[in-house]
Short mmCIF file of all heavy atoms in Angstrom, two decimals:
data_model
loop_
_atom_site.label_atom_id
_atom_site.label_comp_id
_atom_site.label_asym_id
_atom_site.label_seq_id
_atom_site.Cartn_x
_atom_site.Cartn_y
_atom_site.Cartn_z
N ILE Y 428 -29.25 24.42 -68.74
CA ILE Y 428 -28.46 23.36 -69.38
C ILE Y 428 -28.35 22.20 -68.41
O ILE Y 428 -28.22 22.43 -67.21
CB ILE Y 428 -27.04 23.79 -69.69
CG1 ILE Y 428 -26.91 25.33 -69.62
CG2 ILE Y 428 -26.53 23.23 -70.99
CD1 ILE Y 428 -25.45 25.70 -69.33
N PRO Y 431 -23.14 17.99 -67.07
CA PRO Y 431 -22.56 16.73 -67.56
C PRO Y 431 -22.60 15.68 -66.42
O PRO Y 431 -22.46 16.07 -65.23
CB PRO Y 431 -21.14 17.08 -67.89
CG PRO Y 431 -20.85 18.35 -67.18
CD PRO Y 431 -22.16 19.06 -66.98
N ARG Y 433 -20.31 13.58 -65.81
CA ARG Y 433 -18.97 13.63 -65.20
C ARG Y 433 -18.10 14.58 -65.99
O ARG Y 433 -18.14 14.54 -67.25
CB ARG Y 433 -18.41 12.24 -65.20
CG ARG Y 433 -17.22 12.05 -64.18
CD ARG Y 433 -16.83 10.66 -63.93
NE ARG Y 433 -15.56 10.71 -63.40
CZ ARG Y 433 -14.49 9.99 -63.78
NH1 ARG Y 433 -14.63 9.09 -64.70
NH2 ARG Y 433 -13.30 10.17 -63.25
N MET Y 434 -17.33 15.37 -65.33
CA MET Y 434 -16.42 16.31 -66.02
C MET Y 434 -15.26 16.53 -65.13
O MET Y 434 -15.30 16.74 -63.96
CB MET Y 434 -17.15 17.64 -66.29
CG MET Y 434 -16.22 18.65 -66.96
SD MET Y 434 -17.11 20.12 -67.57
CE MET Y 434 -17.26 21.05 -66.05
N VAL Y 435 -14.06 16.45 -65.78
CA VAL Y 435 -12.83 16.80 -65.02
C VAL Y 435 -12.19 17.96 -65.81
O VAL Y 435 -11.97 17.87 -67.03
CB VAL Y 435 -11.86 15.59 -64.91
CG1 VAL Y 435 -10.60 16.03 -64.06
CG2 VAL Y 435 -12.56 14.45 -64.23
N VAL Y 436 -11.86 19.02 -65.06
CA VAL Y 436 -11.38 20.30 -65.71
C VAL Y 436 -10.01 20.58 -65.16
O VAL Y 436 -9.73 20.38 -63.96
CB VAL Y 436 -12.34 21.45 -65.31
CG1 VAL Y 436 -11.80 22.77 -65.82
CG2 VAL Y 436 -13.71 21.16 -65.88
N GLN Y 492 -9.01 23.79 -69.58
CA GLN Y 492 -8.99 22.57 -70.32
C GLN Y 492 -10.01 21.57 -69.77
O GLN Y 492 -10.13 21.42 -68.52
CB GLN Y 492 -7.60 21.93 -70.33
CG GLN Y 492 -7.40 20.93 -71.41
CD GLN Y 492 -6.09 20.18 -71.29
OE1 GLN Y 492 -5.35 20.31 -70.34
NE2 GLN Y 492 -5.82 19.29 -72.26
N ILE Y 493 -10.69 20.80 -70.64
CA ILE Y 493 -11.56 19.73 -70.16
C ILE Y 493 -10.78 18.44 -70.37
O ILE Y 493 -10.41 18.11 -71.52
CB ILE Y 493 -12.86 19.72 -70.90
CG1 ILE Y 493 -13.61 21.01 -70.64
CG2 ILE Y 493 -13.74 18.53 -70.44
CD1 ILE Y 493 -14.98 21.12 -71.41
N LEU Y 494 -10.54 17.76 -69.26
CA LEU Y 494 -9.69 16.52 -69.36
C LEU Y 494 -10.58 15.35 -69.61
O LEU Y 494 -10.13 14.34 -70.15
CB LEU Y 494 -8.96 16.34 -68.05
CG LEU Y 494 -7.83 17.32 -67.75
CD1 LEU Y 494 -7.35 17.13 -66.32
CD2 LEU Y 494 -6.65 17.14 -68.73
N LEU Y 495 -11.84 15.44 -69.19
CA LEU Y 495 -12.75 14.34 -69.32
C LEU Y 495 -14.18 14.85 -69.29
O LEU Y 495 -14.45 15.71 -68.49
CB LEU Y 495 -12.53 13.35 -68.18
CG LEU Y 495 -13.33 12.03 -68.12
CD1 LEU Y 495 -12.49 10.98 -67.51
CD2 LEU Y 495 -14.60 12.20 -67.28
N LEU Y 496 -15.02 14.27 -70.17
CA LEU Y 496 -16.40 14.76 -70.24
C LEU Y 496 -17.29 13.57 -70.61
O LEU Y 496 -17.10 12.98 -71.61
CB LEU Y 496 -16.54 15.89 -71.30
CG LEU Y 496 -17.82 16.64 -71.37
CD1 LEU Y 496 -18.17 17.38 -70.08
CD2 LEU Y 496 -17.83 17.63 -72.57
N GLU Y 497 -18.29 13.38 -69.72
CA GLU Y 497 -19.22 12.25 -69.97
C GLU Y 497 -20.64 12.68 -69.79
O GLU Y 497 -20.88 13.47 -68.87
CB GLU Y 497 -18.89 11.08 -69.00
CG GLU Y 497 -17.64 10.33 -69.32
CD GLU Y 497 -17.24 9.34 -68.14
OE1 GLU Y 497 -18.07 9.17 -67.24
OE2 GLU Y 497 -16.16 8.79 -68.24
N GLY Y 498 -21.50 12.10 -70.56
CA GLY Y 498 -22.95 12.37 -70.36
C GLY Y 498 -23.35 13.79 -70.76
O GLY Y 498 -23.98 14.48 -69.99
N VAL Y 499 -22.99 14.19 -72.00
CA VAL Y 499 -23.49 15.45 -72.50
C VAL Y 499 -24.26 15.18 -73.80
O VAL Y 499 -24.00 14.16 -74.44
CB VAL Y 499 -22.36 16.46 -72.81
CG1 VAL Y 499 -21.87 17.11 -71.52
CG2 VAL Y 499 -21.23 15.83 -73.58
N ASP Y 500 -25.12 16.11 -74.18
CA ASP Y 500 -25.91 15.91 -75.39
C ASP Y 500 -25.10 16.03 -76.64
O ASP Y 500 -25.15 15.17 -77.52
CB ASP Y 500 -27.06 16.90 -75.39
CG ASP Y 500 -28.01 16.72 -74.18
OD1 ASP Y 500 -28.08 15.55 -73.73
OD2 ASP Y 500 -28.54 17.71 -73.66
N ASP Y 501 -24.29 17.14 -76.74
CA ASP Y 501 -23.49 17.34 -77.93
C ASP Y 501 -22.06 17.29 -77.60
O ASP Y 501 -21.58 18.02 -76.72
CB ASP Y 501 -23.81 18.72 -78.54
CG ASP Y 501 -25.27 18.81 -78.87
OD1 ASP Y 501 -25.79 17.90 -79.58
OD2 ASP Y 501 -25.92 19.81 -78.43
N PRO Y 502 -21.30 16.41 -78.24
CA PRO Y 502 -19.82 16.34 -77.89
C PRO Y 502 -19.17 17.64 -78.36
O PRO Y 502 -19.66 18.29 -79.26
CB PRO Y 502 -19.34 15.16 -78.72
CG PRO Y 502 -20.31 14.98 -79.80
CD PRO Y 502 -21.65 15.48 -79.29
N LEU Y 503 -18.11 18.01 -77.62
CA LEU Y 503 -17.35 19.21 -78.01
C LEU Y 503 -16.30 18.83 -79.09
O LEU Y 503 -15.68 17.77 -78.98
CB LEU Y 503 -16.66 19.78 -76.78
CG LEU Y 503 -17.56 20.22 -75.65
CD1 LEU Y 503 -16.79 20.45 -74.40
CD2 LEU Y 503 -18.33 21.50 -76.06
N LEU Y 504 -16.14 19.66 -80.07
CA LEU Y 504 -15.21 19.33 -81.15
C LEU Y 504 -13.90 20.14 -81.10
O LEU Y 504 -12.87 19.71 -81.63
CB LEU Y 504 -15.87 19.58 -82.48
CG LEU Y 504 -17.13 18.74 -82.77
CD1 LEU Y 504 -17.78 19.06 -84.09
CD2 LEU Y 504 -16.80 17.22 -82.69
N THR Y 505 -13.97 21.30 -80.52
CA THR Y 505 -12.77 22.14 -80.45
C THR Y 505 -12.47 22.69 -79.03
O THR Y 505 -13.32 22.73 -78.17
CB THR Y 505 -12.95 23.39 -81.37
OG1 THR Y 505 -14.03 24.20 -80.85
CG2 THR Y 505 -13.28 23.04 -82.79
N HIS Y 506 -11.24 23.16 -78.92
CA HIS Y 506 -10.82 23.79 -77.64
C HIS Y 506 -11.64 25.05 -77.42
O HIS Y 506 -12.07 25.38 -76.33
CB HIS Y 506 -9.30 24.11 -77.75
CG HIS Y 506 -8.81 24.81 -76.54
ND1 HIS Y 506 -8.87 24.24 -75.29
CD2 HIS Y 506 -8.19 26.04 -76.37
CE1 HIS Y 506 -8.34 25.12 -74.39
NE2 HIS Y 506 -7.92 26.19 -75.04
N TRP Y 507 -11.86 25.83 -78.49
CA TRP Y 507 -12.66 27.02 -78.44
C TRP Y 507 -14.01 26.81 -77.85
O TRP Y 507 -14.50 27.50 -77.01
CB TRP Y 507 -12.71 27.60 -79.87
CG TRP Y 507 -13.29 28.99 -79.99
CD1 TRP Y 507 -14.52 29.30 -80.52
CD2 TRP Y 507 -12.69 30.22 -79.64
NE1 TRP Y 507 -14.70 30.67 -80.53
CE2 TRP Y 507 -13.60 31.27 -79.98
CE3 TRP Y 507 -11.46 30.55 -79.07
CZ2 TRP Y 507 -13.31 32.61 -79.76
CZ3 TRP Y 507 -11.19 31.93 -78.83
CH2 TRP Y 507 -12.10 32.91 -79.20
N GLU Y 508 -14.67 25.71 -78.34
CA GLU Y 508 -15.97 25.37 -77.85
C GLU Y 508 -15.90 24.93 -76.37
O GLU Y 508 -16.83 25.23 -75.58
CB GLU Y 508 -16.59 24.14 -78.60
CG GLU Y 508 -17.14 24.51 -79.95
CD GLU Y 508 -17.53 23.21 -80.78
OE1 GLU Y 508 -17.64 22.12 -80.14
OE2 GLU Y 508 -17.62 23.31 -82.00
N SER Y 509 -14.84 24.25 -76.00
CA SER Y 509 -14.65 23.78 -74.64
C SER Y 509 -14.64 25.02 -73.71
O SER Y 509 -15.27 24.98 -72.65
CB SER Y 509 -13.35 23.02 -74.48
OG SER Y 509 -13.25 22.03 -75.40
N LEU Y 510 -13.89 26.03 -74.09
CA LEU Y 510 -13.80 27.23 -73.25
C LEU Y 510 -15.17 27.86 -73.10
O LEU Y 510 -15.58 28.26 -71.98
CB LEU Y 510 -12.82 28.21 -73.83
CG LEU Y 510 -11.33 27.77 -73.81
CD1 LEU Y 510 -10.49 28.87 -74.44
CD2 LEU Y 510 -10.85 27.49 -72.41
N ALA Y 511 -15.88 27.92 -74.20
CA ALA Y 511 -17.22 28.56 -74.20
C ALA Y 511 -18.16 27.74 -73.26
O ALA Y 511 -18.98 28.25 -72.48
CB ALA Y 511 -17.81 28.69 -75.57
N TYR Y 512 -18.06 26.36 -73.38
CA TYR Y 512 -18.86 25.53 -72.57
C TYR Y 512 -18.59 25.67 -71.07
O TYR Y 512 -19.49 25.81 -70.26
CB TYR Y 512 -18.60 24.07 -73.02
CG TYR Y 512 -19.41 23.05 -72.24
CD1 TYR Y 512 -20.82 22.99 -72.35
CD2 TYR Y 512 -18.81 22.08 -71.46
CE1 TYR Y 512 -21.57 22.05 -71.70
CE2 TYR Y 512 -19.55 21.14 -70.75
CZ TYR Y 512 -20.89 21.09 -70.86
OH TYR Y 512 -21.60 20.14 -70.20
N LEU Y 513 -17.27 25.75 -70.75
CA LEU Y 513 -16.88 25.93 -69.34
C LEU Y 513 -17.52 27.26 -68.80
O LEU Y 513 -17.99 27.33 -67.65
CB LEU Y 513 -15.35 25.97 -69.18
CG LEU Y 513 -14.63 24.68 -69.38
CD1 LEU Y 513 -13.13 24.86 -69.49
CD2 LEU Y 513 -14.97 23.70 -68.19
N LYS Y 514 -17.48 28.24 -69.63
CA LYS Y 514 -17.99 29.54 -69.26
C LYS Y 514 -19.50 29.47 -69.00
O LYS Y 514 -20.01 30.03 -68.07
CB LYS Y 514 -17.67 30.55 -70.37
CG LYS Y 514 -17.69 31.96 -69.93
CD LYS Y 514 -17.02 32.82 -70.96
CE LYS Y 514 -17.19 34.24 -70.58
NZ LYS Y 514 -16.32 35.14 -71.31
N THR Y 515 -20.20 28.82 -69.91
CA THR Y 515 -21.65 28.62 -69.74
C THR Y 515 -22.00 27.95 -68.46
O THR Y 515 -23.00 28.26 -67.77
CB THR Y 515 -22.27 27.76 -70.87
OG1 THR Y 515 -21.56 28.05 -72.07
CG2 THR Y 515 -23.71 27.99 -71.02
N LEU Y 516 -21.16 26.98 -68.04
CA LEU Y 516 -21.50 26.32 -66.80
C LEU Y 516 -21.17 27.17 -65.58
O LEU Y 516 -21.54 26.82 -64.50
CB LEU Y 516 -20.61 25.00 -66.71
CG LEU Y 516 -20.94 23.89 -67.73
CD1 LEU Y 516 -19.92 22.76 -67.59
CD2 LEU Y 516 -22.34 23.39 -67.54
N ASP Y 561 -6.66 24.05 -82.19
CA ASP Y 561 -8.05 24.17 -81.80
C ASP Y 561 -8.81 22.88 -81.87
O ASP Y 561 -9.52 22.50 -80.91
CB ASP Y 561 -8.72 25.23 -82.64
CG ASP Y 561 -10.04 25.61 -82.05
OD1 ASP Y 561 -10.25 25.45 -80.78
OD2 ASP Y 561 -10.97 26.06 -82.77
N SER Y 562 -8.68 22.09 -82.94
CA SER Y 562 -9.48 20.94 -83.10
C SER Y 562 -9.04 19.79 -82.14
O SER Y 562 -7.90 19.43 -82.10
CB SER Y 562 -9.39 20.44 -84.55
OG SER Y 562 -9.54 19.01 -84.60
N LEU Y 563 -10.00 19.26 -81.42
CA LEU Y 563 -9.70 18.18 -80.50
C LEU Y 563 -9.22 16.93 -81.22
O LEU Y 563 -8.41 16.16 -80.72
CB LEU Y 563 -10.86 17.90 -79.54
CG LEU Y 563 -11.34 19.09 -78.67
CD1 LEU Y 563 -12.46 18.66 -77.71
CD2 LEU Y 563 -10.21 19.72 -77.86
N ALA Y 564 -9.76 16.75 -82.44
CA ALA Y 564 -9.35 15.60 -83.26
C ALA Y 564 -7.89 15.73 -83.62
O ALA Y 564 -7.14 14.79 -83.64
CB ALA Y 564 -10.29 15.46 -84.46
N HIS Y 565 -7.52 16.93 -84.04
CA HIS Y 565 -6.12 17.20 -84.39
C HIS Y 565 -5.26 16.97 -83.13
O HIS Y 565 -4.16 16.40 -83.30
CB HIS Y 565 -5.94 18.66 -84.86
CG HIS Y 565 -6.41 18.86 -86.27
ND1 HIS Y 565 -6.59 20.13 -86.82
CD2 HIS Y 565 -6.80 18.02 -87.23
CE1 HIS Y 565 -7.05 20.06 -88.06
NE2 HIS Y 565 -7.15 18.71 -88.33
N GLN Y 566 -5.69 17.43 -82.02
CA GLN Y 566 -4.88 17.28 -80.78
C GLN Y 566 -4.58 15.79 -80.57
O GLN Y 566 -3.46 15.38 -80.30
CB GLN Y 566 -5.68 17.83 -79.57
CG GLN Y 566 -5.76 19.36 -79.57
CD GLN Y 566 -6.37 19.88 -78.24
OE1 GLN Y 566 -6.65 19.12 -77.33
NE2 GLN Y 566 -6.53 21.17 -78.13
N GLU Y 567 -5.64 15.04 -80.69
CA GLU Y 567 -5.57 13.59 -80.43
C GLU Y 567 -4.57 12.98 -81.38
O GLU Y 567 -3.69 12.19 -81.02
CB GLU Y 567 -6.97 13.01 -80.76
CG GLU Y 567 -7.02 11.50 -80.64
CD GLU Y 567 -7.59 11.11 -79.26
OE1 GLU Y 567 -8.00 12.03 -78.47
OE2 GLU Y 567 -7.57 9.92 -78.99
#
Side-chain angles (χ1 to χ4, degrees):
I428 343 153
R433 200 168 158 225
M434 176 170 81
V435 182
V436 174
Q492 196 189 5
I493 298 178
L494 292 170
L495 181 145
L496 187 63
E497 287 171 6
V499 282
D500 300 328
D501 301 308
L503 299 167
L504 299 178
T505 64
H506 178 58
W507 188 252
E508 281 172 21
S509 309
L510 293 177
Y512 180 65
L513 288 169
K514 202 167 173 165
T515 321
L516 293 176
D561 192 27
S562 151
L563 300 183
H565 284 168
Q566 289 187 2
E567 177 98 7

